[in-house]
Amino acid sequence: MINGILQFIKKTILAIKLARHNALCAIAGLKTFNAQLWIARLFIKKNDLPLSENLRRFLQKENNLFLNAAADEITARPDIVGNKCFYLYYSEPRILRRETLFKTTGNAKEKTFWLKLFAEIVRRDYPQLKEQYNFFLRRLDILQDMRFYASELEELEKAAMGYASPNAFEVDWIRSGKDKLYMIFEQECSQTNKLSRKSQEDFAALFAYLFFEKNWFVSSWQGVAVMPDGRVALPDFDFLYPVTDEFKAFAKSWFKNQATPANDFEFKLARAFKLLQAYCPAIDVAAVWQNYLDAPNSTYKAVPAQIQLLHDLQRHGVVVKTDSGIAFDKAEDLSYLLDSRRHKNDPRFRKSTIWYWGPLLIAVYVLYNYF
């Protein structure tokens, strides 16, 4: 009961904060907030800004990793929240140099509250957000432990090495821990939302390379790291998702015909493509991707999971010995297997008859009774 009262109070405080940012309509009509709306309406502060900007300012002021991740998952569904709120992040521009404290878990607060609230919204209002809730659960590890995020980051950087090198940064594992992520930048980089035309072209090409050739994609990111020569990198993203052949087919349909997403992963892909276009307004992303979009589907097929696992094990020093294939020149070489009586002619079979184990039983009996 006490937990229920605390959840009610926290939901009321959340509704009031949204009202003060003139963003109460984001939860208006939700059964989850029926009991809080009448109180929150007393605190509305109206302004002339669009809803997306009010929500962005609200998230920026709260600065909570769990809230940001929950909002990120929900806004990946424009069929529910609308197209104008497909991306709510905004990162202040900053300079990244040498050893930098890049991320912390200090602003990851009230995990239980956000989990319960998200689950309640799915249960009472939007069952179609169930998979988004599952995505949210998967992201909890990297939200609470920077070492998990650093591992995702290194995986993405390894994949990007084939596109351009050297890497823009590396994880400082000595100083990093569960709560803090330190990174080393060999060159001074700027993390920004505004890219030059050259950086936009590089970003679009890098995204395509990771997607079509390395089979990875990210759905959202907070700013892009830009190096002095205009090259870009993605140090701050949501999660690393594997790409399947179906995703590549959807990408071609989306860029050519604006295909409508049919499942949760496709909604995330569509959001990533729209966000890429928002970051690259001076160029035609489809034109940069032309070689990939026009290539046959078999050109960039994803590596089967079993082969990829074997490759990853070998890459990390695990010696994996594969059996050489056994070839039979003639089918007659296997014909003896069809003879059900062949084992009776085997000398080893005779050892299993009474002439073999009978004397053994007699010997055991004599030894047990007379010695």
Side-chain angles (χ1 to χ4, degrees):
M1 181 177 178
I2 295 178
N3 291 336
I5 294 174
L6 289 175
Q7 189 76 2
F8 177 87
I9 294 173
K10 290 176 182 178
K11 285 167 59 178
T12 303
I13 294 173
L14 173 61
I16 291 173
K17 288 180 177 178
L18 284 167
R20 286 175 174 166
H21 283 83
N22 196 29
L24 193 61
C25 57
I27 59 173
L30 296 184
K31 298 176 183 176
T32 302
F33 285 94
N34 270 347
Q36 286 78 25
L37 286 173
W38 70 272
I39 301 176
R41 289 192 180 97
L42 302 175
F43 296 87
I44 292 177
K45 291 184 178 181
K46 294 185 178 181
N47 58 46
D48 297 327
L49 297 174
L51 174 62
S52 58
E53 182 60 28
N54 285 326
L55 285 173
R56 184 177 290 110
R57 293 187 176 195
F58 163 71
L59 292 174
Q60 191 172 3
K61 184 174 181 180
E62 290 300 303
N63 191 29
N64 185 296
L65 289 177
F66 294 129
L67 171 59
N68 287 342
D72 187 55
E73 293 302 333
I74 293 173
T75 54
R77 293 295 303 268
D79 57 324
I80 297 175
V81 301
N83 290 316
K84 294 182 179 180
C85 296
F86 79 96
Y87 180 71
L88 295 174
Y89 280 139
Y90 178 79
S91 59
E92 292 290 342
R94 62 171 173 163
I95 300 299
L96 306 170
R97 58 169 67 91
R98 296 297 179 185
E99 288 140 4
T100 300
L101 176 57
F102 189 75
K103 263 181 175 293
T104 72
T105 59
N107 52 2
K109 304 172 185 176
E110 304 284 351
K111 168 189 169 183
T112 302
F113 167 68
W114 296 111
L115 277 172
K116 287 184 177 179
L117 180 59
F118 204 149
E120 187 178 357
I121 291 173
V122 172
R123 184 178 68 256
R124 300 185 63 185
D125 294 289
Y126 292 113
Q128 57 267 47
L129 287 177
K130 182 178 180 180
E131 190 55 40
Q132 266 59 47
Y133 175 76
N134 292 332
F135 284 133
F136 180 61
L137 290 178
R138 296 177 206 173
R139 292 174 62 176
L140 288 183
D141 285 340
I142 66 174
L143 293 175
Q144 299 175 101
D145 194 327
M146 290 293 99
R147 293 168 295 188
F148 287 114
Y149 178 78
S151 179
E152 293 277 299
L153 186 59
E154 282 199 335
E155 192 68 40
L156 185 63
E157 277 299 285
K158 287 177 184 176
M161 286 179 66
Y163 173 76
S165 61
N167 287 351
F169 52 81
E170 61 178 301
V171 176
D172 186 350
W173 286 104
I174 296 177
R175 300 182 64 191
S176 298
K178 179 179 180 180
D179 301 325
K180 297 179 180 180
L181 170 61
Y182 284 88
M183 292 167 59
I184 301 173
F185 293 84
E186 296 297 333
Q187 306 178 60
E188 184 176 281
C189 300
S190 60
Q191 186 176 5
T192 178
N193 297 303
K194 305 295 183 182
L195 306 178
S196 66
R197 183 180 182 88
K198 179 180 179 182
S199 295
Q200 290 180 33
E201 292 173 349
D202 188 73
F203 187 25
L206 172 62
F207 199 101
Y209 174 80
L210 292 171
F211 183 82
F212 285 100
E213 299 193 34
K214 293 300 181 178
N215 304 310
W216 293 114
F217 84 96
V218 296
S219 176
S220 64
W221 51 88
Q222 296 190 58
V224 175
V226 181
M227 287 162 270
D229 60 0
R231 291 185 298 118
V232 301
L234 270 175
D236 198 353
F237 56 89
D238 61 336
F239 201 76
L240 202 55
Y241 299 96
V243 173
T244 66
D245 296 333
E246 289 76 15
F247 294 171
K248 294 176 184 179
F250 173 77
K252 294 181 178 182
S253 298
W254 193 88
F255 275 100
K256 292 180 179 180
N257 307 311
Q258 288 294 303
T260 302
N263 56 55
D264 301 287
F265 270 109
E266 289 184 0
F267 275 110
K268 278 190 169 288
L269 272 174
R271 194 260 296 277
F273 299 152
K274 289 174 63 178
L275 184 55
L276 182 63
Q277 290 178 325
Y279 266 74
C280 305
I283 66 171
D284 182 1
V285 175
V288 177
W289 286 32
Q290 200 65 50
N291 291 338
Y292 293 106
L293 299 178
D294 291 341
N297 290 334
S298 59
T299 305
Y300 301 105
K301 291 187 69 67
V303 180
Q306 298 87 345
I307 297 177
Q308 184 63 47
L309 175 60
L310 180 62
H311 170 72
D312 290 341
L313 290 173
Q314 292 173 337
R315 187 183 64 187
H316 289 90
V318 179
V319 179
V320 182
K321 185 177 180 180
T322 57
D323 294 330
S324 57
I326 300 175
F328 291 93
D329 296 332
K330 300 179 180 179
E332 290 79 6
D333 293 341
L334 299 176
S335 61
Y336 72 95
L337 295 175
L338 301 176
D339 184 5
S340 61
R341 296 175 298 176
R342 68 185 186 283
H343 61 279
K344 294 184 179 180
N345 299 323
D346 192 329
R348 291 172 296 180
F349 175 74
R350 299 191 188 100
K351 293 181 180 179
S352 63
T353 65
I354 191 172
W355 301 108
Y356 177 76
W357 52 263
L360 284 178
L361 290 177
I362 296 174
V364 170
Y365 177 80
V366 171
L367 291 172
Y368 180 78
N369 286 281
Y370 297 101
F371 295 94

